[in-house]
Amino acid sequence: MPFPPSPRARSGPRRRSLLALAPAALALSSCTGGGPAGDGPSAADRARARAARDSEELVERYDAVIAARPGLAKRLRPLREEVVRHARAFGGGRTSSASPSASASVSPAGSPSASASVPSAPSAAVPGNDKDALAGLAAAERELADRRAKALGGVPGELARLLASVAAAGAAHVYLLTEGDA
């Protein structure tokens, strides 16, 4: 008489298979940022912080140009405010939407005054005429948009979409600064 089949019929992977796969699964989970909290900021966090800093520095450039070339203020304020929103979207908090003249003190001749509060070097020198001042802002926007576009492949999806969107806005700013006649 044959024995009846065991009620504990095995279905699915065996214990040995699971034990063999456990180290590989653990290694994969640590590669995706799921490691211990003491590892420091992830690559995405560092990219987000850098993007926020870059936008904040760009706001400082806008502030310096607006302070040095007040005739451009009406044209530049909407672009500046958009850059402030970009900094906030990346988690920046240092930049405010306060009056540009409150955060930068540059003499009309284009050289920083003794009481200048603009800390970054790029915003320290503002050209003496409107055309060159706009060209300088456009070059800063273009360089930043290009750098953000190149960073897209190294960041996760949502941050990549944000970087792409802000890079596209930067490209539009370049157009408005160089081609747009307002």
Side-chain angles (χ1 to χ4, degrees), residues 108-139:
S111 60
S113 67
S115 64
S117 62
V118 180
S120 63
S123 62
V126 175
N129 64 56
D130 290 356
K131 183 178 179 180
D132 290 343
L134 292 173
L137 279 174

Short mmCIF file of all heavy atoms in Angstrom, two decimals, residues 108-139:
data_model
loop_
_atom_site.label_atom_id
_atom_site.label_comp_id
_atom_site.label_asym_id
_atom_site.label_seq_id
_atom_site.Cartn_x
_atom_site.Cartn_y
_atom_site.Cartn_z
N PRO A 108 26.25 102.39 -7.73
CA PRO A 108 25.78 102.48 -9.11
C PRO A 108 26.89 102.30 -10.14
O PRO A 108 26.63 101.89 -11.24
CB PRO A 108 25.18 103.89 -9.20
CG PRO A 108 24.84 104.25 -7.79
CD PRO A 108 25.84 103.54 -6.94
N ALA A 109 28.11 102.60 -9.80
CA ALA A 109 29.20 102.44 -10.75
C ALA A 109 29.53 100.98 -10.98
O ALA A 109 30.28 100.64 -11.87
CB ALA A 109 30.44 103.16 -10.23
N GLY A 110 28.97 100.09 -10.15
CA GLY A 110 29.18 98.67 -10.37
C GLY A 110 30.14 98.04 -9.40
O GLY A 110 30.28 96.84 -9.37
N SER A 111 30.80 98.84 -8.54
CA SER A 111 31.71 98.23 -7.58
C SER A 111 31.01 98.11 -6.24
O SER A 111 30.23 98.97 -5.86
CB SER A 111 32.98 99.08 -7.44
OG SER A 111 32.61 100.37 -7.00
N PRO A 112 31.30 97.05 -5.51
CA PRO A 112 30.62 96.86 -4.22
C PRO A 112 31.02 97.98 -3.25
O PRO A 112 32.15 98.43 -3.23
CB PRO A 112 31.15 95.52 -3.73
CG PRO A 112 31.79 94.87 -4.90
CD PRO A 112 32.16 95.95 -5.84
N SER A 113 30.06 98.42 -2.46
CA SER A 113 30.37 99.43 -1.46
C SER A 113 31.00 98.77 -0.25
O SER A 113 31.00 97.56 -0.12
CB SER A 113 29.09 100.17 -1.05
OG SER A 113 28.22 99.29 -0.37
N ALA A 114 31.49 99.56 0.66
CA ALA A 114 32.16 99.03 1.84
C ALA A 114 31.21 98.23 2.71
O ALA A 114 31.63 97.34 3.43
CB ALA A 114 32.77 100.18 2.65
N SER A 115 29.91 98.53 2.63
CA SER A 115 28.96 97.81 3.47
C SER A 115 28.23 96.71 2.71
O SER A 115 27.15 96.32 3.10
CB SER A 115 27.94 98.80 4.05
OG SER A 115 27.19 99.36 2.99
N ALA A 116 28.81 96.23 1.64
CA ALA A 116 28.14 95.20 0.83
C ALA A 116 27.92 93.96 1.66
O ALA A 116 28.79 93.50 2.37
CB ALA A 116 28.98 94.87 -0.40
N SER A 117 26.71 93.42 1.56
CA SER A 117 26.40 92.20 2.30
C SER A 117 26.24 91.02 1.38
O SER A 117 25.68 90.01 1.76
CB SER A 117 25.12 92.41 3.12
OG SER A 117 24.04 92.67 2.24
N VAL A 118 26.68 91.14 0.14
CA VAL A 118 26.60 90.05 -0.82
C VAL A 118 27.82 89.17 -0.62
O VAL A 118 28.93 89.57 -0.93
CB VAL A 118 26.53 90.59 -2.26
CG1 VAL A 118 26.44 89.46 -3.25
CG2 VAL A 118 25.37 91.54 -2.41
N PRO A 119 27.64 87.94 -0.08
CA PRO A 119 28.78 87.14 0.29
C PRO A 119 29.48 86.42 -0.84
O PRO A 119 30.64 86.12 -0.76
CB PRO A 119 28.18 86.12 1.27
CG PRO A 119 26.75 86.02 0.87
CD PRO A 119 26.39 87.35 0.31
N SER A 120 28.79 86.08 -1.92
CA SER A 120 29.43 85.24 -2.93
C SER A 120 30.16 86.10 -3.96
O SER A 120 29.72 87.18 -4.33
CB SER A 120 28.39 84.35 -3.61
OG SER A 120 27.47 85.15 -4.28
N ALA A 121 31.26 85.59 -4.45
CA ALA A 121 32.09 86.31 -5.40
C ALA A 121 31.38 86.60 -6.72
O ALA A 121 31.55 87.67 -7.28
CB ALA A 121 33.38 85.54 -5.65
N PRO A 122 30.55 85.68 -7.27
CA PRO A 122 29.95 85.94 -8.56
C PRO A 122 29.10 87.20 -8.59
O PRO A 122 28.99 87.86 -9.60
CB PRO A 122 29.09 84.71 -8.84
CG PRO A 122 29.61 83.65 -7.96
CD PRO A 122 30.22 84.36 -6.78
N SER A 123 28.46 87.56 -7.49
CA SER A 123 27.58 88.71 -7.51
C SER A 123 28.29 90.00 -7.14
O SER A 123 27.68 91.05 -7.13
CB SER A 123 26.40 88.46 -6.57
OG SER A 123 26.88 88.30 -5.25
N ALA A 124 29.58 89.94 -6.82
CA ALA A 124 30.30 91.12 -6.36
C ALA A 124 30.50 92.14 -7.48
O ALA A 124 30.41 93.33 -7.24
CB ALA A 124 31.63 90.72 -5.76
N ALA A 125 30.79 91.71 -8.68
CA ALA A 125 31.09 92.63 -9.77
C ALA A 125 29.91 92.71 -10.74
O ALA A 125 29.54 91.72 -11.35
CB ALA A 125 32.33 92.17 -10.51
N VAL A 126 29.34 93.89 -10.84
CA VAL A 126 28.23 94.11 -11.77
C VAL A 126 28.74 95.07 -12.84
O VAL A 126 29.25 96.13 -12.52
CB VAL A 126 27.01 94.72 -11.04
CG1 VAL A 126 25.90 95.05 -12.04
CG2 VAL A 126 26.51 93.77 -9.98
N PRO A 127 28.61 94.69 -14.11
CA PRO A 127 29.07 95.57 -15.19
C PRO A 127 28.39 96.94 -15.12
O PRO A 127 27.28 97.08 -14.60
CB PRO A 127 28.67 94.82 -16.46
CG PRO A 127 28.56 93.40 -16.04
CD PRO A 127 28.10 93.42 -14.61
N GLY A 128 29.04 97.92 -15.69
CA GLY A 128 28.57 99.29 -15.63
C GLY A 128 27.45 99.65 -16.58
O GLY A 128 26.92 100.76 -16.52
N ASN A 129 27.08 98.76 -17.50
CA ASN A 129 25.96 99.09 -18.39
C ASN A 129 24.94 97.95 -18.38
O ASN A 129 25.24 96.82 -18.02
CB ASN A 129 26.44 99.40 -19.81
CG ASN A 129 27.08 98.21 -20.50
OD1 ASN A 129 26.46 97.15 -20.62
ND2 ASN A 129 28.31 98.36 -20.95
N ASP A 130 23.71 98.29 -18.78
CA ASP A 130 22.60 97.35 -18.73
C ASP A 130 22.85 96.11 -19.57
O ASP A 130 22.59 94.99 -19.13
CB ASP A 130 21.30 98.01 -19.18
CG ASP A 130 20.78 99.04 -18.18
OD1 ASP A 130 21.39 99.19 -17.10
OD2 ASP A 130 19.76 99.69 -18.49
N LYS A 131 23.34 96.30 -20.77
CA LYS A 131 23.53 95.17 -21.69
C LYS A 131 24.50 94.15 -21.11
O LYS A 131 24.23 92.94 -21.13
CB LYS A 131 24.04 95.68 -23.04
CG LYS A 131 24.19 94.58 -24.07
CD LYS A 131 24.64 95.13 -25.40
CE LYS A 131 24.80 93.98 -26.39
NZ LYS A 131 25.23 94.45 -27.70
N ASP A 132 25.61 94.61 -20.57
CA ASP A 132 26.59 93.69 -19.99
C ASP A 132 26.07 93.05 -18.70
O ASP A 132 26.36 91.89 -18.41
CB ASP A 132 27.91 94.41 -19.73
CG ASP A 132 28.64 94.78 -21.02
OD1 ASP A 132 28.30 94.21 -22.08
OD2 ASP A 132 29.54 95.65 -20.95
N ALA A 133 25.30 93.80 -17.93
CA ALA A 133 24.72 93.24 -16.70
C ALA A 133 23.76 92.12 -17.04
O ALA A 133 23.77 91.05 -16.40
CB ALA A 133 24.02 94.34 -15.90
N LEU A 134 22.92 92.32 -18.06
CA LEU A 134 21.99 91.28 -18.50
C LEU A 134 22.75 90.08 -19.06
O LEU A 134 22.38 88.92 -18.81
CB LEU A 134 21.02 91.83 -19.54
CG LEU A 134 20.00 92.86 -19.03
CD1 LEU A 134 19.21 93.43 -20.19
CD2 LEU A 134 19.08 92.22 -18.00
N ALA A 135 23.81 90.34 -19.81
CA ALA A 135 24.61 89.25 -20.38
C ALA A 135 25.26 88.42 -19.27
O ALA A 135 25.34 87.19 -19.38
CB ALA A 135 25.67 89.81 -21.32
N GLY A 136 25.70 89.06 -18.21
CA GLY A 136 26.29 88.34 -17.08
C GLY A 136 25.28 87.45 -16.39
O GLY A 136 25.57 86.29 -16.05
N LEU A 137 24.07 87.96 -16.19
CA LEU A 137 23.00 87.14 -15.60
C LEU A 137 22.64 85.98 -16.53
O LEU A 137 22.44 84.85 -16.07
CB LEU A 137 21.76 87.98 -15.32
CG LEU A 137 21.76 88.81 -14.05
CD1 LEU A 137 20.52 89.70 -14.00
CD2 LEU A 137 21.81 87.92 -12.83
N ALA A 138 22.56 86.26 -17.81
CA ALA A 138 22.23 85.20 -18.78
C ALA A 138 23.30 84.11 -18.77
O ALA A 138 22.97 82.92 -18.82
CB ALA A 138 22.08 85.80 -20.18
N ALA A 139 24.56 84.50 -18.69
CA ALA A 139 25.64 83.50 -18.64
C ALA A 139 25.54 82.65 -17.38
O ALA A 139 25.73 81.43 -17.43
CB ALA A 139 26.99 84.20 -18.71
#
